[in-house]
Amino acid sequence: MNTVLSRANSLFAFSLSVMAALTFGCFITTAFKDRSVPVRLHVSRIFRKNVEDFTGPRERSDLGFITFDITADLENIFDWNVKQLFLYLSAEYSTKNNALNQVVLWDKIVLRGDNPKLLLKDMKTKYFFFDDGNGLKGNRNVTLTLSWNVVPNAGILPLVTGSGHVSVPFPDTYEITKSY
Amino acid sequence: MLYYQVLNFGMIVSSALMIWKGLMVITGSESPIVVVLSGSMEPAFHRGDLLFLTNRVEDPIRVGEIVVFRIEGREIPIVHRVLKIHEKQNGHIKFLTKGDNNAVDDRGLYKQGQHWLEKKDVVGRARGFVPYIGIVTILMNDYPKFKYAVLFLLGLFVLVHRE
């Protein structure tokens, strides 16, 4: 066997094992960290329409509109093994039709290096808040929480919920025309 | 001598198979390790990244989870995030997905007339991730000549190292 070839072979094997050890090290040093931080949510405006669901099944469903504020400091979550955080604001509620409904209203990607302090005011929802039916009418308890998916350089992909949520009731009446 | 080698080879192949099937049972998923094939989840996952999945029945599907699913009639698995769920009293869940890097949700990808996905379409939920390793699988699929070259070299290697 050519010595160049056998040297290249052992070099390749060595670098592969070093990379594997580093990757495993990245994973094991951050596998059990608590990735939760306190979050402050506030809802400033909430109203509801009842229209044909144009995003999917064409039935008349409740369409909710929420204007919200988010305050959170995500700085402590980022470490050597966090590539990005996928933040999402979700509304959770139950209706006559469905025991549990969860709808993502807004999301954001925060990469490592981006500003980790969130100070968002008067945000509109990114996605249409359609219910599966007419369950938002007079719904007492729609809970908004901010959660995030920690995407590591290598390792576990946990879903973490921020501590702090806000529950809002939806009005009984429909809004016919209201600018949003 | 040759008999011993064949038996040895058979042992290696069957232990690899057992490990794979064992993983399938522990995770509850028919495909516990998948390679990301498209860029629809960037910047989190790129083509060639490896995902470790579980599909345990006790873990209900919730928003924000990254699911790997198959659309009825198509065999390519898709890796996207759950956007909406509606769960009935009896535990039946219907949900909607969207790729992080896509502007719209996946209703355009589903079957004609299908608005929701159900548990039966799910291959698994992504729980762990290792970057880049799956590139080899993609290369072997896109360039079949590369696959044959690798197999040929492996065969050559085994024959040459007979002790």
Side-chain angles (χ1 to χ4, degrees):
Chain A
M1 246 313 200
N2 204 327
T3 51
V4 174
L5 216 56
S6 67
R7 280 180 193 168
N9 181 31
S10 43
L11 190 67
F12 181 62
F14 184 62
S15 40
L16 263 188
S17 16
V18 167
M19 284 203 285
L22 268 178
T23 308
F24 185 71
C26 262
F27 153 60
I28 206 77
T29 49
T30 56
F32 305 108
K33 273 180 104 169
D34 175 27
R35 305 261 192 206
S36 176
V37 289
V39 168
R40 270 213 356 249
L41 296 170
H42 173 70
V43 171
S44 43
R45 232 170 108 209
I46 180 163
F47 63 93
R48 186 176 52 95
K49 292 191 182 208
N50 185 265
V51 293
E52 216 179 75
D53 185 350
F54 46 81
T55 64
R58 295 199 166 271
E59 302 149 357
R60 285 192 79 87
S61 318
D62 275 350
L63 175 57
F65 292 86
I66 298 186
T67 310
F68 55 91
D69 308 327
I70 302 180
T71 311
D73 184 4
L74 306 166
E75 186 152 15
N76 293 330
I77 309 180
F78 283 97
D79 58 24
W80 60 91
N81 197 22
V82 174
K83 188 163 75 168
Q84 76 170 50
L85 290 183
F86 184 88
L87 305 166
Y88 54 100
L89 181 77
S90 53
E92 184 171 325
Y93 59 99
S94 68
T95 63
K96 222 162 38 129
N97 266 349
N98 295 300
L100 174 70
N101 303 277
Q102 288 182 330
V103 181
V104 172
L105 301 176
W106 171 90
D107 56 37
K108 180 176 168 65
I109 293 179
V110 179
L111 296 169
R112 183 159 71 181
D114 286 352
N115 183 14
K117 300 195 195 316
L118 286 182
L119 265 172
L120 306 164
K121 291 196 74 64
D122 291 334
M123 301 289 296
K124 305 206 191 323
T125 60
K126 212 186 206 188
Y127 304 110
F128 286 107
F129 188 175
F130 269 111
D131 181 37
D132 179 34
N134 302 315
L136 288 180
K137 175 182 169 133
N139 196 319
R140 285 292 139 93
N141 208 353
V142 175
T143 307
L144 296 177
T145 43
L146 183 71
S147 315
W148 47 88
N149 187 198
V150 181
V151 179
N153 281 321
I156 306 192
L157 290 159
L159 281 178
V160 185
T161 308
S163 57
H165 59 259
V166 66
S167 290
V168 288
F170 260 89
D172 246 332
T173 53
Y174 296 118
E175 294 288 344
I176 322 263
T177 53
K178 203 146 184 167
S179 63
Y180 180 48
Chain B
M1 181 59 200
L2 183 64
Y3 181 60
Y4 177 71
Q5 274 199 307
V6 169
L7 228 56
N8 217 6
F9 183 67
M11 275 278 290
I12 297 176
V13 169
S14 51
S15 4
L17 201 64
M18 267 180 16
I19 293 177
W20 181 250
K21 293 290 179 189
L23 263 182
M24 274 172 63
V25 169
I26 296 177
T27 62
S29 163
E30 60 180 60
S31 183
I33 303 181
V34 292
V35 177
V36 175
L37 296 172
S38 74
S40 55
M41 283 294 279
E42 288 185 14
F45 309 136
H46 297 86
R47 245 170 84 86
D49 292 342
L50 214 65
L51 291 175
F52 299 96
L53 313 179
T54 66
N55 197 21
R56 298 211 199 85
V57 184
E58 323 82 76
D59 290 335
I61 299 176
R62 295 288 175 253
V63 286
E65 291 190 338
I66 301 171
V67 293
V68 179
F69 60 91
R70 269 203 199 96
I71 299 178
E72 243 174 85
R74 313 221 191 109
E75 50 166 74
I76 305 182
I78 303 177
V79 184
H80 283 170
R81 200 181 291 272
V82 176
L83 194 69
K84 259 179 142 204
I85 69 157
H86 295 291
E87 179 175 346
K88 293 225 179 281
Q89 194 77 26
N90 59 16
H92 177 258
I93 303 183
K94 62 184 188 191
F95 60 98
L96 176 64
T97 56
K98 173 180 171 293
D100 291 349
N101 208 19
N102 293 346
V104 295
D105 60 39
D106 290 346
R107 286 209 165 110
L109 285 177
Y110 300 164
K111 233 169 47 162
Q112 180 74 286
Q114 180 187 11
H115 296 293
W116 305 96
L117 289 176
E118 292 170 10
K119 251 184 277 205
K120 63 176 174 52
D121 302 309
V122 173
V123 174
R125 258 73 62 71
R127 302 288 185 212
F129 151 80
V130 184
Y132 309 125
I133 306 239
I135 277 276
V136 183
T137 319
I138 293 190
L139 277 176
M140 302 230 275
N141 267 333
D142 289 351
Y143 305 107
K145 294 211 181 88
F146 180 68
K147 178 159 63 171
Y148 300 141
V150 167
L151 286 174
F152 178 67
L153 280 174
L154 268 177
L156 212 61
F157 213 62
V158 167
L159 285 173
V160 165
H161 280 216
R162 251 206 300 195
E163 47 310 282

